[in-house]
Amino acid sequence: EQKYEHGLQKSRKTFGDKLNELFANFRSVDEEFFEELEETLIEADVGFETAVKISDELKEEVKLRNAKDKKAVTQAIIEKLVSLYEAEGKVEENDLHFAAEGPTVFLFVGVNGVGKTTTIGKLAHRLKAEGKKVLLAAADTFRAGAIEQLVEWGKRVDVTVVSKPEGSDPAAVVFDAVQKAKTESYDILLVDTAGRLQNKVNLMNELAKIERVITRELPAQPQEVLLALDATTGQNALTQAKQFKEVTKVTGIVLTKLDGTARGGIVLAIRNELHLPVKLVGLGEKMDDLRDFEPEEFVYGLFK
Ligand code: GDP
């Protein structure tokens, strides 16, 4: 848990620090305060639309509560940020969903370098520690590096990886992995895929084929299609998410590299603009640096 704190501290250094700065200079809830609040939110990558919405709703709330002092206004904004996140969906939506019986399959999508493979490695480690039998499929066959990297993670966390040579049909890798998961009673199969957004039609076809192969053998799967986004890329991450939503049915976001960024506000933009839950958060490169996303903890962390 210390690590989570540490990660949040880093992420709060800018988003949190700016919010704290705003409140340190607090005089009264005037027009200027709301303008500065909007600026702070935009700089933290909350996004223009969401920033204006938060500011407008907070204005109403402050009036309603007759909040005048720093403490009351801070509390109002904390509640606003949490409710903005939670109002978008049920709280349990933040949780990963597992099959009641038989193997669960999670598909990981996202462009190169966002931290997809690392996330799979970390999650495999966590699930294994929970006593689950975990299998990985290296279906990003476009780059030899990607296959090697997943195999490397498999060794590190002591989990089996199904792979084929570079250039193989990704759906064939998935087919073998699903067979193995079924016949050898694995609890969970995590599938790495190639996220080449350069050719959206190809990507769409490739993902559709992979999903068909899975569904044929395991009708209720994949349980999750998790899109990995790099928090440090700010608004670019949102653009990627919009594009991925067009090619496949994303069920949740893995927000990586939240440990090194000023842009923690992207969490709210993802929720408010894309209507997707953040299910996992990456707070570093090591196998233990993966956390479930807790909206309240996140928002309260900003104001510590
Ligand atoms: P992929 O191409 O999407 O599979 O991305 P990788 O898993 O190879 O990750 C790209 C780089 O980001 C690697 O150097 C990882 O160690 C690093 N990385 C991944 N997740 C995190 C994270 O949560 N925090 C930090 N600081 N680095 C990360």
Side-chain angles (χ1 to χ4, degrees):
E1 286 315 297
Q2 212 158 4
K3 199 73 201 211
Y4 192 29
E5 273 298 302
H6 178 63
L8 284 181
Q9 253 161 23
K10 272 193 169 177
S11 143
R12 119 168 57 108
K13 217 159 230 154
T14 24
F15 183 22
D17 277 358
K18 278 183 196 140
L19 281 171
N20 286 320
E21 220 171 89
L22 174 73
F23 280 97
N25 298 328
F26 182 88
R27 288 174 308 274
S28 62
V29 271
D30 49 16
E31 244 349 277
E32 201 185 328
F33 171 81
F34 287 105
E35 267 170 38
E36 282 172 18
L37 174 66
E38 268 174 39
E39 254 172 59
T40 304
L41 294 171
I42 290 164
E43 279 172 24
D45 264 327
V46 166
F48 181 78
E49 193 187 308
T50 311
V52 172
K53 179 177 160 153
I54 293 170
S55 174
D56 285 350
E57 290 184 8
L58 188 68
K59 228 178 265 183
E60 285 299 307
E61 192 60 34
V62 160
K63 226 181 271 165
L64 253 156
R65 295 184 188 197
N66 198 21
K68 290 204 173 72
D69 64 346
K70 191 153 116 180
K71 196 166 165 232
V73 177
T74 308
Q75 190 55 34
I77 185 165
I78 286 177
E79 285 171 29
K80 174 66 25 211
L81 295 180
V82 173
S83 75
L84 181 86
Y85 189 92
E86 289 182 347
E88 277 288 327
K90 296 190 205 78
V91 177
E92 63 264 29
E93 226 191 76
N94 289 331
D95 299 338
L96 293 170
H97 296 269
F98 293 88
E101 58 184 273
T104 294
V105 183
F106 292 171
L107 211 57
F108 286 81
V109 299
V111 303
N112 266 344
V114 292
K116 217 175 351 158
T117 312
T118 307
T119 301
I120 293 172
K122 290 173 184 173
L123 187 61
H125 173 64
R126 180 212 277 193
L127 295 170
K128 197 179 172 224
E130 288 172 5
K132 295 198 163 86
K133 196 175 171 189
V134 185
L135 185 64
L136 308 183
D140 178 355
T141 56
F142 190 70
R143 291 185 311 130
I147 302 168
E148 281 161 25
Q149 211 189 334
L150 195 70
V151 168
E152 205 43 56
W153 266 104
K155 283 190 196 137
R156 199 173 304 157
V157 302
D158 192 23
V159 154
T160 306
V161 181
V162 174
S163 67
K164 283 180 185 290
E166 183 186 354
S168 305
D169 182 350
V173 178
V174 174
F175 180 82
D176 285 1
V178 169
Q179 293 301 328
K180 189 176 174 68
K182 273 183 79 171
T183 54
E184 297 177 29
S185 306
Y186 277 86
D187 297 305
I188 180 132
L189 168 63
L190 307 177
V191 181
D192 195 9
T193 67
R196 282 169 297 128
L197 267 181
Q198 298 89 321
N199 191 333
K200 257 164 94 176
V201 177
N202 273 0
L203 180 63
M204 193 188 299
N205 290 339
E206 184 172 307
L207 292 174
K209 191 172 170 191
I210 288 174
E211 291 196 37
R212 272 202 307 278
V213 164
I214 296 169
T215 308
R216 204 183 300 141
E217 295 295 324
L218 300 165
Q221 305 299 323
Q223 202 90 3
E224 301 274 3
V225 178
L226 298 168
L227 171 63
L229 298 174
D230 177 343
T232 66
T233 62
Q235 295 293 308
N236 271 340
L238 278 193
T239 309
Q240 279 169 25
K242 282 177 191 149
Q243 292 180 306
F244 271 97
K245 271 184 84 174
E246 285 165 19
V247 299
T248 186
K249 199 181 166 299
V250 178
T251 61
I253 301 292
V254 180
L255 195 60
T256 65
K257 310 187 195 180
L258 206 54
D259 50 309
T261 185
R263 298 165 141 180
I266 194 81
V267 166
L268 295 165
I270 288 169
R271 193 61 162 162
N272 194 51
E273 290 180 37
L274 303 170
H275 314 291
L276 285 171
V278 176
K279 297 212 170 186
L280 292 168
V281 168
L283 295 171
E285 301 185 81
K286 306 220 174 60
M287 60 175 101
D288 290 318
D289 296 335
L290 186 73
R291 294 291 175 273
D292 291 326
F293 179 69
E294 310 284 356
E296 274 198 38
E297 197 178 338
F298 178 76
V299 172
Y300 275 91
L302 295 170
F303 288 92
K304 264 182 200 152

